[in-house]
Amino acid sequence: MDTSWTRLGLIAGGGTLPRLVAQACEADGRLGCVIALSGFADPADYTDPLVRTIGQFGHVVEDLRVAGCDAVCFAGIVTRPDFRSFVPDLEGAKLLPKLLAAAVRGDDALLRVVVKAFEARGLKVVGADELSSSLLAPAGMIGGDVDAGPHQPDIAKAMQMAAAIGALDAGQGAVVCDGLVLALEAQEGTDAMLERVASLPENIRGTRQTPRGVLAKRPKPQQERRIDLPVVGVETVERAAAAGLAGIAVEAGAALILGSDAVDDAARRHGIFVIGVSPDS
Amino acid sequence: MDTSWTRLGLIAGGGTLPRLVAQACEADGRLGCVIALSGFADPADYTDPLVRTIGQFGHVVEDLRVAGCDAVCFAGIVTRPDFRSFVPDLEGAKLLPKLLAAAVRGDDALLRVVVKAFEARGLKVVGADELSSSLLAPAGMIGGDVDAGPHQPDIAKAMQMAAAIGALDAGQGAVVCDGLVLALEAQEGTDAMLERVASLPENIRGTRQTPRGVLAKRPKPQQERRIDLPVVGVETVERAAAAGLAGIAVEAGAALILGSDAVDDAARRHGIFVIGVSPDS
């Protein structure tokens, strides 16, 4: 257990991840409060959450202080606000020039400003994986019982493509089939990218009957790793299978697996693999 | 007029480009034959075309010989064949191992094998822009009467992103809005990419009322430029406008404009710009 902090506030966006983080943190008795971001998190998923908009930076910092938090974790899906119609509170407004300047550089640049703003208030920013180490993708087989060996060239190339677009601060995912780059992820997200692959002509992709091709997800090489690590869940597995892919590759130690048993079950059921690849392999 | 060849065979895929090439070549009296690729070109678009599948390499070479051609031009949309169910003729079968080896490296690698195979038969491979210089995108404003100046940062970043994914042999197009990379093009093609941008949340993109963001199309830095130059036509303009973009940027001298008057008209009608950017600017 990390003893550098005593009480944590969870800032929750959408999806399953923040619920898993809240459970893990509650289990070790250090959950100070949950701040459910309006429009992203469902407050009904949490016990006594505070509901705030993403512009209410000052209110959130005050919520954390009142709850006695000395640490904060950001988890879940949050999309970029429209800064032209953004309604910040007073502290949020002070942050706005920095946010605007960073926004044009990319999502990672934007998130770094947010992290620094919380750190400047004396809060330790903790990654979801630090709260629940079981979330972090290990090296080797994570799900399924398919031999990933024959797909090694596609795994390697998809990982290389994901790193390349990550270095551009454009996205974290890529799909490669028999060496051909089928799709690169930007603001549409992984689910939409996989839907698109499923609608490509069958001659350049796999099918459920003859799966081929690999989805790779990995963090941007330069990104702030305490926020926005790539996530793989049951839905990712289902969509990858529907797109005719043979498997999913993530960077070991740098991706979150949302329920490793559930992901393994789904991968077996759909006949695909989920594998953790060491970054230097 | 290029006098290094006397008679040209046009190998036509889908879309408007091969029709424009056929007209230009017929006008200067050097069109030897049109080979309409089955499944891609509509034979009704041409006078006495020969219809061949993309596997019939030997037949195509013989067609060109019979028509007295010493040059060949590839124009129009052709998607990758499924090499597992590919039916080549005898000469096509001899080429197959090289095609398969190149296919896993990317589209550009694959096209280079095709070009070399024709050159090895003594045929000069001529780019569409060499047959009709009016097709080639100039530097400066190509279409519309909107000031592109305020969009310069997005133009520059979108051009940079398109070059980066081109260097990966992944695609030729990218969309950037207020510095944020909205979409990167791979096998789905530009039209599908623009449809996807149109379905992104309005807070990160433009609208018809308030257009913002730029589509850039440019060749892959290393690509064979006699085949597969990026193309902008009226439909590209219409889809860019529907996606809320402010304009389209192409690399001057390295993109084909399908009907410069029609593209200009469409750009004016939809209130967007089409601009040619010098590669070193």
Side-chain angles (χ1 to χ4, degrees), chain A residues 261-280:
Chain A
D261 288 349
V263 165
D264 183 32
D265 283 352
R268 285 170 194 267
R269 205 163 55 240
H270 289 284
I272 75 170
F273 63 81
V274 181
I275 196 169
V277 179
S278 297
D280 29 81

Side-chain angles (χ1 to χ4, degrees), chain B residues 8-71:
Chain B
L8 181 125
L10 169 65
I11 301 186
T16 309
L17 177 62
R19 293 210 306 272
L20 296 177
V21 169
Q23 284 162 15
C25 196
E26 216 156 19
D28 85 358
R30 300 199 288 175
L31 185 62
C33 67
V34 175
I35 293 162
L37 291 175
S38 179
F40 300 106
D42 182 351
D45 287 341
Y46 305 95
T47 314
D48 300 327
L50 300 154
V51 179
R52 299 290 183 197
T53 68
I54 55 170
Q56 293 182 301
F57 175 60
H59 286 74
V60 168
V61 169
E62 180 61 14
D63 292 339
L64 294 170
R65 198 193 58 74
V66 168
C69 296
D70 55 351

Side-chain angles (χ1 to χ4, degrees), chain A residues 79-84 103-107 157 160-161 164-165 168-171 178-188 192 196 200-205 210 212, chain B residues 79-84 103-107 157 160-161 164-165 168-171 178-188 192 196 200-205 210 212:
Chain A
T79 54
R80 270 190 178 230
D82 185 349
F83 287 108
R84 295 161 312 167
V104 301
R105 294 203 305 277
D107 284 338
K157 187 160 180 179
Q160 180 209 337
M161 291 294 141
I165 61 163
L168 302 168
D169 201 354
D178 291 349
L180 185 66
V181 182
L182 297 188
L184 299 172
E185 182 182 339
Q187 286 295 315
E188 75 278 17
R196 168 163 99 243
L200 289 174
E202 282 195 9
N203 56 337
I204 57 168
R205 64 174 175 91
T210 315
R212 53 190 184 124
Chain B
T79 54
R80 270 189 179 232
D82 185 347
F83 287 108
R84 294 161 311 166
V104 301
R105 295 204 304 278
D107 284 338
K157 187 160 179 177
Q160 180 209 337
M161 290 295 141
I165 62 164
L168 302 168
D169 201 353
D178 291 350
L180 185 65
V181 182
L182 296 189
L184 299 172
E185 182 182 339
Q187 287 294 316
E188 75 278 17
R196 167 164 101 242
L200 289 175
E202 283 194 9
N203 56 335
I204 58 167
R205 64 175 175 91
T210 315
R212 50 189 185 123

Side-chain angles (χ1 to χ4, degrees), chain B residues 56-237:
Chain B
Q56 293 182 301
F57 175 60
H59 286 74
V60 168
V61 169
E62 180 61 14
D63 292 339
L64 294 170
R65 198 193 58 74
V66 168
C69 296
D70 55 351
V72 65
C73 174
F74 302 87
I77 299 159
V78 173
T79 54
R80 270 189 179 232
D82 185 347
F83 287 108
R84 294 161 311 166
S85 59
F86 190 63
V87 185
D89 63 13
L90 190 63
E91 292 300 307
K94 287 182 193 163
L95 207 55
L96 201 52
K98 274 188 189 170
L99 290 173
L100 289 172
V104 301
R105 295 204 304 278
D107 284 338
D108 178 52
L110 188 57
L111 290 173
R112 276 174 196 279
V113 173
V114 175
V115 165
K116 278 196 181 144
F118 280 88
E119 287 178 336
R121 265 72 179 181
L123 291 151
K124 186 177 167 75
V125 176
V126 178
D129 55 296
E130 297 175 67
L131 297 168
S132 172
S133 59
S134 69
L135 286 171
L136 209 58
M141 281 301 270
I142 295 168
D145 49 10
V146 181
D147 179 14
H151 303 281
Q152 199 49 56
D154 279 350
I155 292 173
K157 187 160 179 177
M159 289 293 281
Q160 180 209 337
M161 290 295 141
I165 62 164
L168 302 168
D169 201 353
Q172 298 177 321
V175 177
V176 170
C177 181
D178 291 350
L180 185 65
V181 182
L182 296 189
L184 299 172
E185 182 182 339
Q187 287 294 316
E188 75 278 17
T190 307
D191 289 354
M193 176 173 65
L194 290 175
E195 264 184 45
R196 167 164 101 242
V197 171
S199 70
L200 289 175
E202 283 194 9
N203 56 335
I204 58 167
R205 64 175 175 91
T207 59
R208 280 190 186 271
Q209 290 68 45
T210 315
R212 50 189 185 123
V214 171
L215 161 69
K217 291 191 76 172
R218 67 192 304 183
K220 300 168 182 172
Q222 73 292 353
Q223 90 170 49
E224 168 53 73
R225 295 203 171 194
R226 289 170 297 173
I227 300 195
D228 199 30
L229 277 188
V231 165
V232 169
V234 170
E235 201 183 339
T236 323
V237 171

